[in-house]
Structures are given as C-alpha cells and as structure tokens.
Amino acid sequence: MMKLTCNDTLYTYDAYHLLKAFYPDEEIEQQVDEEQESQIRIESDCDSCFCVTLAGEKTELLQMDRGEKKHLAVRSLYEKLCRATKKSLPWGSLTGVRPTKMLMQKLEEGVPDDRILDWITKEHFVSGEKAKLGLDIAKREKRLLSRLDYENGYSLYIGIPFCPTTCSYCSFTSYPISQYLEKTDAYLEALCKELSYIAAVSREKKLNTIYLGGGTPTSLRADQLDRLFTHLEKQFSYEHLLELTVEAGRPDSITREKLKVLKRHGIGRISVNPQTMQQKTLDLVGRRHTVEDVITTFRVARELGFDNINMDLIAGLPGETPEDMEDTLTKVQALGPDSLTVHALAIKRASRLRQEQRSGEGFTGHTASAGDLTAMIDAAYRCAGEMGLVPYYLYRQKNMAGNFENVGYAEVDKAGIYNILIMEEKQSIVAAGAGASTKIVLPKAVEMPGSKKHKMTNLIRIENVKQVDEYIARIDEMIERKGEWLWH
Ligand code: SF4
C-alpha cells in the first residue's frame, strides 16, 4: 500500500499515474492536504517516504503559472522514482494518452525535428527510440489530416453495443447479443432517430469520415445492417466522405451475407480482429471463436473484394509469451492485412479480468514481464515493416501493461483517418448510440461546462447513456443534449 499526498489537486493525476507506472501492483491511496509544504509526498509500507518540494525563491515560484509548476513537480517526481526503483519508463514522465498531440503541436509551430527530439527527451525523459517513433507518426498524421477541413467538416461515430460474448479484458460498452435479441430492432429505431437529427442539423457541414464501432457492429443481423446503411445514405450526403469503416471485429459475428451487405453499401475499410492467434488464449479470455474462424473470415472478405482490412492484436494477454506473439504474427503475416493495430493489454477497472484479479480468483499462470512486452511489441514492429506497413497513429492508455503504447500500422493510403482524429482532437466527432461520446472541437475556448474553477476548454464532450434500455427510452433527451452545442 502506498499513500500519495499532494498539496494541490494540480499534481494528483500525474503523480498517481506515474506511481502506478512504476509500481503497477501497488494499491495507492491518495489525498490532498493543502497545509503540506511539499507539493507531492509519497509514503509506503516498505520504502522510506520521499517528497517533491519545488526548489527556488518563493517569489520565483509565485511567478510561475500552474502549468510550469506542475511540469517541474512531475519531472522531479519522475527522477526520484527512477532512482528509487532503478528503472526508467519508455515514455518518461508523460502520463497523458496522446503523446503525438504534443509533437504535432510543435510541428505546427514550425519547430525543427532535432529541437523537438531534444525537447521531448530532455524535458519529459522520453527514450530516444520512442521520441523518434512519436515524431515519425506525428508527421504522418499531419500529412493525412491535411486533406480535412477541420472547421467545416466533421466525423460520425455510430456505436453498436452488442458482441457475441464479452471478452474478459473488455471495458467498452458491450452486451452479449443473445440477451438483447428482442431489443435490437428498437435499438436501431432509436439510433436512426438520433442519426436523422444529426443529419438534419449538419446539412451545412462536410461529413468526412464515418466509423461504425462498439461493441461489434456485425453482431446485428444482415437485414439490420442493410437498414442502418440505407438510412445513412438517405440522411447524409457522402459528397465529402473520405472513409467509411466498419469495425466488424469478432470473426464469430461475421458471415458472408453480412459482408455482402457491407460491400453493397460501399464500406471501404473493415476490421477482422483476432487479438491473438493462440487458441488457448482465445478460450481463456472468453472469445468464442477459433483461429480457423479468423482465417476463413479474412479469406471470405478478400474474396468479396475488401482491399482494406485491419487486424487488431493485443500484446500481454494472460498466459502469452513472446514466442506466442511470434507465432501469432507469422499467422497474421500469412494473411497479409492492409493495416495492423497492436495494443499493449490495458486492464481497466470495469473489466472482468480486473474484478477477478481483485477477488483473488484471477488467472494465475504466466504474466508478461516488461521484458516480454518489449519483445512482443518489437516483434510486431518488425513484422509490420516486413508487410510494408508503417506506423501512423499511436496512443497510450491508463493501466497499460508496462506503460507502453498502442500503435496502428498501415500501408500508405490505407491508414484509418478516423483513428487519427480520435487521438488528435482536431475535428468534431458526433457520436450516436448507447455509450457513444460526442466531442465537439470549438474554434475558440469557452468556460468548461460545470467547472467550478472557471477552467477553459475548446473541447466539449457530450455522453450518451450506456444502458441499451435507457438509451431507447431516453432517446429524445440524448438528441436534446446534442442540440445544445451542435453547431453553435
Ligand atoms: S469484442 Fe471488443 S467490444 Fe466486444 S466484448 Fe470483446 S473487447 Fe469488448
């Protein structure tokens, strides 16, 4: 057990996540004590306590803005944690999920590459290798996004919150379809109502990308998918559409008939996600499909003419070793997807895996060490390169194994623009469906709604309720919530 005390809420988020990155298995109790002299104080059962106290003249500190103070305190904490544990982290003191966003900002300011690399390695202790990866990706993202009109364009996310079964590591809005079979038509009806509203108020805007995710959209029947896409075509203009993606996802939900519906409606990009090609792991994490299902589904999709297929993999699934990852990559390489997204396992609080761990009933076999994860992620990088895929987007998650990152690799011209948009927050994403979260990027900052401290933001989030029944019952309220901001 560790106890983290900060003298201002300014430090708590970063201090907590840095501590968690260095001590992933420790329970951390956190509190704020405004009387405490040190900015950050850490006490633990076994080690002696240590504090971060910003040095310097009182007046000097008073003149600093809160951002500068936070940066200094986090730097100091990171250095102390490195000394205490004799470890360093690949992403240094960065705790945020979007390291490329900072790099993109520097590129947009016209800062030369060598100065950007120098800044991120010295100011934030990012390793040379990760700094270079991040900068390469930020440059690719910048090129890909140059085709978009940030101010007059927008993207549309549609959430289908059903899956064949629930994977043990899942923390998304997803419900087993077998329990909702009688509600899917009502769900679609509510969804179409929300979409009609979005289309009606967005006539003056250019729709640039559509992403159907969830859950697993192909959990719906073929006729329901047909109904949904027909509705979209009637309601929205596709004149400025650059990308239409369906995260088909689980092979056990995809049929030839459904793929034909997607093809008929012009879906350009789909995902067939194995996560791993090890049957023992698929069984262990509750994905009720086989390795063979992945191969067959992928081949049917190719046969039907899909020429932009993504595959998702997860490094660090329970029981997996670097050898398992090598074997998975060999099998994926034999199929030759057009893009590959490699995640490091993030066990979120809401997942079954975390709950099992907490109750002591969790998996007790091999757990990937930081060294194993490095080997797995390096192998994926190498394999993507051999397939002619280059990294084009990157993000990190909280509670991520080894504090690594998720990277999307793709062939040139086959990168998922929506994936970049969701990370870089440059264009508004209007989201429909249960659990969907709309993000409106405003041209200039406004006071954050509900903020007691008059915090300013140029990003407004509007969340839909997560429960299917509630979403159906409260659809008019979901629409009204959006109306407050769309497009004022
Ligand atoms: S397929 Fe994805 S959304 Fe569905 S249960 Fe598994 S992790 Fe969750």
Side-chain angles (χ1 to χ4, degrees), residues 17-74:
H17 287 288
L18 266 188
L19 257 188
K20 218 41 199 160
F22 278 97
Y23 300 97
D25 301 325
E26 286 286 344
E27 285 287 322
I28 299 171
E29 187 188 301
Q30 37 175 337
Q31 61 178 35
V32 175
D33 175 2
E34 288 175 5
E35 304 296 313
Q36 177 179 284
E37 202 184 321
S38 307
Q39 276 70 27
I40 302 166
R41 180 184 171 85
I42 291 156
E43 293 159 87
S44 87
D45 294 342
C46 41
D47 292 328
S48 52
C49 100
F50 63 90
C51 300
V52 170
T53 310
L54 293 181
E57 295 295 325
K58 274 242 158 73
T59 46
E60 212 176 277
L61 288 175
L62 282 174
Q63 277 163 2
M64 275 185 196
D65 68 26
R66 287 173 65 77
E68 286 169 325
K69 273 194 208 163
K70 181 164 101 167
H71 177 58
L72 272 188
V74 170

Side-chain angles (χ1 to χ4, degrees), residues 162-163 165-167 169-174 214-216 250 287:
F162 308 112
C163 285
T165 54
T166 306
C167 310
Y169 52 83
C170 181
S171 60
F172 301 107
T173 304
S174 158
T216 303
R250 290 265 295 254
R287 287 174 75 92

Side-chain angles (χ1 to χ4, degrees), residues 60-114:
E60 212 176 277
L61 288 175
L62 282 174
Q63 277 163 2
M64 275 185 196
D65 68 26
R66 287 173 65 77
E68 286 169 325
K69 273 194 208 163
K70 181 164 101 167
H71 177 58
L72 272 188
V74 170
R75 270 180 62 94
S76 173
L77 175 62
Y78 178 78
E79 286 181 303
K80 288 191 176 188
L81 288 169
C82 286
R83 277 199 296 275
T85 59
K86 299 190 177 50
K87 278 197 307 195
S88 62
L89 301 175
W91 288 97
S93 60
L94 292 181
T95 51
V97 295
R98 301 179 177 88
T100 48
K101 199 172 173 182
M102 301 167 74
L103 294 159
M104 174 91 91
Q105 202 178 330
K106 292 279 174 200
L107 286 173
E108 284 170 346
E109 287 165 8
V111 181
D113 290 7
D114 53 346

